[in-house]
């Protein structure tokens, strides 16, 4: 867990988690009980632009899917697909915010949480200036077997932010709707999973909606209605081993080299670009960072 997780508004998160677990036991509908907002942030007071502009170095450096839209499909010869978030149904509740991320990573003043546009931006209802939402294509193994294309099935990479300390962070929404990689999923997340994401990653905010999301929490055929939620989280990079493996498995070696060259240039500056063993060295070094989400999400 990252350090800032211990200094958040944990009372709000604890209450949200407890109420979800209580719902499992009592099998209540989310429409049958009142959502007590007294433990969360007060209603927003004004509406205005958010002083956070994003850029997208990834768009210029890496191949983009030629097909537009969120139609579920097998994607070829690309690293990202352009995909628009699906806004949560209002009313929305800003359940928790990391003051550490707000001030020390995104250079924002605490007053921004009183802005109606802030809640919309961090829940997928509106884009930050400069944002081009992307869903990442990757593959992986499930239950010990190669599962083929997986990808960001409920996440949208909004862009990159370089703060006043010169740190570059990639900003991503989780639970923000369908993408080309959603397969049979609905692209949504519920409070249970979103609380974990908020506490265990470098997250800025947790927004809760009354939008119903249907889940089978115990995988026993008992589907219940839960509330939808969106987390805005950050990482130095969202690439992972599966980002490389999908390209290897499909024989897209030119795209693989392009991606590896980008990763080495941006994240492993100590490796010389003309080193004949740069790919082997970058892989070995990246494994050292695999458990530190603050430095690198994956590899």
């Amino acid at each position: 867990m990252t350090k800032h997780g211990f200094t958040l508004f944990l009372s709000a998160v604890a209450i949200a988690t407890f109420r979800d677990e209580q719902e499992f036991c009592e099998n209540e509908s989310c429409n049958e009980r009142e959502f007590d907002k007294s433990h969360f942030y007060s209603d927003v007071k004004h509406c205005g632009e958010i002083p956070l502009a994003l850029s997208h170095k990834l768009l210029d450096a890496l191949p983009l899917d030629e097909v537009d839209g969120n139609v579920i499909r097998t994607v070829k010869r690309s690293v990202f697909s352009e995909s628009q978030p699906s806004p949560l149904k209002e009313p929305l509740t800003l359940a928790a915010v990391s003051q550490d991320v707000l001030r020390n990573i995104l250079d924002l003043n605490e007053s921004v949480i009183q802005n109606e546009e802030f809640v919309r931006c961090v829940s997928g209802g509106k884009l930050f200036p400069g944002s081009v939402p992307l869903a990442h294509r990757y593959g992986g193994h499930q239950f010990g077997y190669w599962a083929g294309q997986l990808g960001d099935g409920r996440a949208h990479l909004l862009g990159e932010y370089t703060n006043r300390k010169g740190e570059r962070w990639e900003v991503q929404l989780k639970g923000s709707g369908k993408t080309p990689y959603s397969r049979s999923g609905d692209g949504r997340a519920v409070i249970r999973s979103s609380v974990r994401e908020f506490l265990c990653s470098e997250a800025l905010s947790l927004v809760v909606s009354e939008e119903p999301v249907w889940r089978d929490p115990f995988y026993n055929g008992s589907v219940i209605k839960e509330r939808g939620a969106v987390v805005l989280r950050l990482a130095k990079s969202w690439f992972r081993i599966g980002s490389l493996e999908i390209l290897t498995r499909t024989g897209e070696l030119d795209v693989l080299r392009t991606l590896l060259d980008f990763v080495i240039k941006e994240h492993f500056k100590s490796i010389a670009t003309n080193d004949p063993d740069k790919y082997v060295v970058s892989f070995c070094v990246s494994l050292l960072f695999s458990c530190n989400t603050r430095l690198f999400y994956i590899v």
Side-chain angles (χ1 to χ4, degrees):
M1 182 183 297
T2 55
K3 181 172 65 176
H4 79 273
F6 295 102
T7 60
L8 307 174
F9 293 82
L10 293 182
S11 60
V13 177
I15 290 169
T17 307
F18 171 76
R19 291 193 169 190
D20 259 351
E21 296 300 331
Q22 187 179 49
E23 182 173 71
F24 295 157
C25 299
E26 300 174 359
N27 198 28
E28 294 180 352
S29 164
C30 66
N31 294 324
E32 293 174 352
R33 54 189 176 80
E34 291 296 323
F35 189 52
D36 184 0
K37 297 184 180 180
S38 62
H39 300 283
F40 297 90
Y41 288 92
S42 58
D43 292 338
V44 294
K45 297 178 180 178
H46 67 280
C47 180
E49 291 298 324
I50 304 301
L52 182 69
L54 303 182
S55 60
H56 245 314
K57 185 181 295 186
L58 299 167
L59 281 175
D60 297 327
L62 300 170
L64 187 65
D65 186 6
E66 295 181 353
V67 181
D68 293 329
N70 292 338
V71 177
I72 297 170
R73 59 188 181 273
T74 299
V75 178
K76 298 290 186 180
R77 300 199 57 76
S78 60
V79 178
F80 292 101
S81 298
E82 200 165 336
S83 176
Q84 294 294 320
S86 301
L88 283 172
K89 293 181 180 178
E90 297 186 2
L92 303 175
T93 300
L94 182 60
V97 172
S98 166
Q99 302 295 328
D100 179 30
V101 173
L102 194 72
R103 293 191 302 264
N104 299 325
I105 294 181
L106 295 179
D107 303 327
L108 293 173
N109 188 279
E110 185 177 352
S111 62
V112 77
I113 66 177
Q114 297 295 330
N115 192 327
E116 182 180 3
E117 296 299 278
F118 176 80
V119 180
R120 290 176 179 168
C121 287
V122 300
S123 62
K126 183 176 179 178
L127 298 179
F128 291 105
S131 174
V132 180
L134 302 175
H136 177 41
R137 173 194 178 209
Y138 59 84
H141 290 78
Q142 292 182 331
F143 310 107
Y145 297 94
W146 172 248
Q149 176 180 291
L150 299 175
D152 288 334
R154 55 178 178 173
H156 292 82
L157 175 59
L158 300 181
E160 305 119 35
Y161 178 70
T162 302
N163 62 24
R164 59 192 172 195
K165 294 180 284 188
E167 300 171 339
R168 174 183 169 274
W169 292 86
E170 294 183 1
V171 181
Q172 185 192 73
L173 294 175
K174 184 72 175 287
S176 45
K178 287 186 176 182
T179 77
Y181 309 100
S182 294
R183 295 181 289 171
S184 60
D186 57 13
R188 291 303 189 197
V190 296
I191 293 179
R192 291 177 293 111
S193 61
S194 298
V195 166
R196 291 194 299 269
E197 292 280 358
F198 182 72
L199 291 176
C200 297
S201 65
E202 206 75 38
L204 168 67
S205 59
L206 169 63
V207 176
V208 177
S209 169
E210 293 296 332
E211 179 175 328
V213 178
W214 297 92
R215 290 290 184 268
D216 181 1
F218 299 118
Y219 302 99
N220 61 1
S222 299
V223 178
I224 65 172
K225 188 188 295 184
E226 300 187 55
R227 292 192 305 279
V230 169
V231 170
L232 188 145
R233 58 186 189 168
L234 302 94
K236 293 296 183 69
S237 174
W238 293 106
F239 292 128
R240 61 200 74 201
I241 290 294
S243 308
L244 311 177
E245 194 169 11
I246 187 70
L247 301 174
T248 304
R249 293 270 184 163
T250 55
E252 300 170 43
L253 300 185
D254 55 336
V255 181
L256 176 63
R257 291 189 188 94
T258 300
L259 176 57
L260 280 170
D261 288 342
F262 176 83
V263 170
I264 291 171
K265 178 182 177 182
E266 294 296 323
H267 302 286
F268 301 100
K269 298 183 184 297
S270 62
I271 301 175
T273 57
N274 59 353
D275 186 338
D277 296 321
K278 62 182 179 180
Y279 299 138
V280 175
V281 175
S282 65
F283 180 77
C284 293
V285 172
S286 66
L287 291 178
L288 299 176
F289 291 92
S290 60
C291 296
N292 192 334
T293 57
R294 188 181 181 100
L295 292 175
F296 210 64
Y297 181 63
I298 61 133
V299 232

